[in-house]
Amino acid sequence: MLKDIQQQIIELKKKNDICILAHCYQSPEILEVADFVGDSFALSVSASKVTNKTVIMCGVRFMAETVKILSPDKKVILSNPDAGCPMAEMMDKEVISQVKEQYPDYKVVAYINTTTDLKTVCDVCVTSSSALKICSKLDCDKILFIPDCNLGNWIAKQLPEKEFKLLSGGCPTHARMSVKDVERAKAAHPNALFLVHPECTPDVVELADYVGSTTGIMDFAEKSERKEFIIGTENSIVTHLQIKCPDKSFYPLSKDCICHNMKATTIVDVLNCCKGVGGEEITLDEKTRLDAKKCIDEMIRLG
């Protein structure tokens, strides 16, 4: 039955000129029918380079919005309308505009995990893999980093020459992992390297052997000569790595590190989108799109 559904999707996306994007946190059966798999911004860039008229994002809302920002002429569908991102929704344009008035000499650095509306009042956007490089190259020594204070703290520690202001925000999924989880995992797997996402709390990140983005963690594990790894990010990555590297062992840092928003999308959701009877089309007015695109363009300019 699953293979039948996947085959229908493959046939329909060819017939209807559809490109399917899947974030790494999606389930294996969705990744198998996707045209591109990866982190959110990389997926958006990939979508902007294809000729398909319709793009389906198997991820969360801000990811689909980013696709639309970069590909205004394409029809962009969020595969499950209920798939949001709590971190992206923690701060809004009005609040950050007020904060900017309090700190007029600070540049606002927005993590990609933010809404389109919020991006319109930010100076530059970053991903977890580009944040350090972008912040180091900014022609300003005062940075207001939003919304993830954990990622911001990790960057700030590596750039002591710059002054950071961090607001209280972050990823609830990564924040659930604790030092006790690390101690338990290391005791159970003493030969394993601990790979962690910088969205985790600082005390957890300090115990890591490697800190990086989702794709960074996967690349490190795949290329490493070591055979055992504790994975400190969403547990679907453990599954994907087990499939990619069956000769290695991967252990979740915590059984509770699950993003329920990412898990909201099912293979049938994708099928319905391909049929034209599911998902939600993402629309942005042109002024908002262009205003939000400025901070993304600045990220690209800075490398």
Side-chain angles (χ1 to χ4, degrees), residues 93 144 196 251 259 280:
K93 179 179 178 179
L144 175 64
V196 72
Y251 315 108
C259 178
E280 176 186 337

Side-chain angles (χ1 to χ4, degrees), residues 126-137 154-155 158-159:
V126 297
T127 64
S128 53
S129 59
S130 71
L132 178 60
K133 182 178 182 180
I134 300 300
C135 288
S136 68
K137 293 178 74 172
W154 182 63
I155 299 300
Q158 297 175 79
L159 296 174

Side-chain angles (χ1 to χ4, degrees), residues 19-23 31 33-38 42-43 46-47 49-50 52:
C19 173
I20 297 178
L21 311 176
H23 189 271
L31 302 190
V33 299
D35 296 287
F36 298 98
V37 175
L43 291 174
S46 295
K49 296 177 180 179
V50 299
N52 305 85

Side-chain angles (χ1 to χ4, degrees), residues 226-239:
R226 296 287 287 269
K227 295 295 184 180
E228 295 184 76
F229 305 88
I230 299 164
I231 305 300
T233 189
E234 216 277 344
N235 285 347
S236 58
I237 299 305
V238 175
T239 302

